[in-house]
């Protein structure tokens, strides 16, 4: 049979008390009459005549001793038992309350918190639990938010595809290369979204392997300029590299830095119809900065704080069709942070945008 904590506490108090009482009673039973007799002998030695009353005195003493012992045992045991019951109940009440609250939390009530107890150990337990609960609540809120955003993002292309397919099936529209192209575009968008989401979830959970090494970024910048120049239209913007011929080495993951630059340049190309896109690099303190500066459509001041948020796009409808997922910059920022750097943006509507990131110098 398993005994509850309350019974155990109560019994342990009781056992301690019984041992105490038993030893008190047995020791005083043995020693008190002896001391009393010794005391009488001392009195007789001093000249008192106790011969006639001695037996009476000893018997009286024994009776008095027994009575008072019985009373003290009775009152003591009751008081100690009551006190022990009260203490065990108080501790148990706290523990039961804690158990109920943790069960509520486990059942999904994320705002359940343990009250502060006046017992320091229990209070410490409450504080740790509350800290854990707060962090889990945050994780849970972010998870819900991501799932909500994600379903919203996935639904749009799916609705478009289903609409076309149903109309094709009903013969409401004629199958044409243009229709198939639109369908392909939406499926590509879905594909991109899924890839981006996978990357984002890895980056947010910190699973993206980052291989930080001492690297020189100039060759990377040159190869990117070459690659992106090929993508630019004849009458579009020009791509310029403004960078000292010798760049100090940085501590970074070259592949992740390339990923970030590809994203920034991709955005710049996307949102710039004419003028120029400049990659500029330089040092500031113990950091190297690289900026991608465009003369594109720019971002409104009220939108600037949001550009790094996931799924955020300046113009929801425009970018949904142009294929943006609103995840690129979120991943870029995470990647830069994972390398110990930071990324910032400055922009003016109709003038252009500058995305600048910093990496630690080697
Ligand atoms: P995506 O480009 O896939 O939509 P991003 O996270 O890369 O996602 O960008 C988020 C939004 O920020 C874009 O939809 C766009 O509205 C805005 N943006 C990003 N880069 C630029 C830029 N160079 N010029 C103007 N707007 C930009």
């Amino acid at each position: 049979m398993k005994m509850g904590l309350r019974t155990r506490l109560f019994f342990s108090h009781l056992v301690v008390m019984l041992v105490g009482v038993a030893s008190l009673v047995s020791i005083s039973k043995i020693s008190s009459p002896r001391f009393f007799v010794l005391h009488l002998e001392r009195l007789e030695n001093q000249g008192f005549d106790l011969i006639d009353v001695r037996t009476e005195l000893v018997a009286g003493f024994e009776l008095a001793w027994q009575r008072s012992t019985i009373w003290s045992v009775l009152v003591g045991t009751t008081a100690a038992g009551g006190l022990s019951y009260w203490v065990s109940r108080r501790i148990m009440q706290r523990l039961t309350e804690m158990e109920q609250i943790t069960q509520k939390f486990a059942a999904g009530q994320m705002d359940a918190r343990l009250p502060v107890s006046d017992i320091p150990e229990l209070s410490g337990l409450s504080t740790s639990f509350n800290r854990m609960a707060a962090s889990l609540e945050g994780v849970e809120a972010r998870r819900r938010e991501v799932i909500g955003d994600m379903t919203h993002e996935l639904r749009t292309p799916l609705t478009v595809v289903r609409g076309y397919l149903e109309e094709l099936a009903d013969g409401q529209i004629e199958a044409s290369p243009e229709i198939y192209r639109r369908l392909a575009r939406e499926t590509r968008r879905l594909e991109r979204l899924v890839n981006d989401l996978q990357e984002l979830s890895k980056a947010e959970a910190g699973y993206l392997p980052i291989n930080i090494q001492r690297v020189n970024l100039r060759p990377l910048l040159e190869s990117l300029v070459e690659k992106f120049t090929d993508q630019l239209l004849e009458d579009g913007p020009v791509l310029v590299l403004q960078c000292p011929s010798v760049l100090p080495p940085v501590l970074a993951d070259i592949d992740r830095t390339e990923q970030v630059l590809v994203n920034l340049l991709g955005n710049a190309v996307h949102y710039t119809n004419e003028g120029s896109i400049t990659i500029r690099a330089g040092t500031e303190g113990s950091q190297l900065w690289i900026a991608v500066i465009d003369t594109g459509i720019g971002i409104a001041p009220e939108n600037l704080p949001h550009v790094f948020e996931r799924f955020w796009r300046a113009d929801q409808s425009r970018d949904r069709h142009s294929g943006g997922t609103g995840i690129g910059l979120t991943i870029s920022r995470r990647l830069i942070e994972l390398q110990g750097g930071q990324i910032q943006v400055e922009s003016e509507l109709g003038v252009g945008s500058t995305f600048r990131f910093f990496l630690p110098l080697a």
Side-chain angles (χ1 to χ4, degrees), residues 142-296:
R142 276 200 297 282
R143 192 184 65 84
R144 286 204 191 138
E145 206 178 289
V146 173
I147 292 185
D149 286 352
M150 217 166 68
T151 33
H152 176 77
E153 294 299 315
L154 288 171
R155 190 172 293 130
T156 319
L158 280 175
T159 314
V160 174
V161 170
R162 201 202 51 202
Y164 278 126
L165 289 177
E166 279 176 358
E167 284 176 29
L168 282 171
D170 296 346
Q172 286 172 353
I173 51 169
E174 281 287 310
S176 71
E178 173 54 22
I179 297 287
Y180 287 125
R181 258 197 298 279
R182 277 187 212 163
L183 283 172
R185 198 166 59 211
E186 291 301 324
T187 29
R188 255 202 313 279
R189 194 177 136 62
L190 275 174
E191 204 173 56
R192 208 164 29 229
L193 197 60
V194 171
N195 289 341
D196 279 0
L197 280 172
Q198 192 180 27
E199 191 82 353
L200 178 70
S201 87
K202 280 194 207 154
E204 291 205 330
Y207 290 147
L208 275 188
I210 295 278
N211 177 19
I212 294 191
Q213 281 176 335
R214 192 186 154 93
V215 284
N216 179 8
L217 291 180
R218 194 173 156 115
L220 172 68
L221 298 184
E222 282 164 2
S223 82
L224 282 174
V225 168
E226 214 170 293
K227 203 152 87 186
F228 273 87
T229 304
D230 297 341
Q231 289 184 18
L232 292 173
L233 299 174
E234 281 277 304
D235 55 349
V238 288
L239 192 54
V240 191
L241 177 62
Q242 286 179 355
C243 156
S245 51
V246 183
L247 265 189
V250 285
L251 287 176
D253 180 326
I254 187 113
D255 295 328
R256 300 299 177 194
T257 310
E258 177 170 3
Q259 201 176 337
V260 172
L261 279 165
V262 166
N263 180 243
L264 296 183
L265 285 169
N267 280 347
V269 170
H270 202 103
Y271 298 107
T272 309
N273 291 324
E274 52 184 13
S276 63
I277 297 169
T278 313
I279 304 180
R280 201 174 287 164
T283 51
E284 191 183 296
S286 61
Q287 290 182 311
L288 176 93
W289 56 262
I290 297 180
V292 176
I293 305 156
D294 68 47
T295 56

Side-chain angles (χ1 to χ4, degrees), residues 263 267 271 294 298-299 312-314 319 324-329 353 355:
N263 180 243
N267 280 347
Y271 298 107
D294 68 47
I299 303 165
W312 187 88
R313 304 186 210 84
D319 289 304
T325 58
I327 299 179
L329 286 176
S353 319
F355 283 87

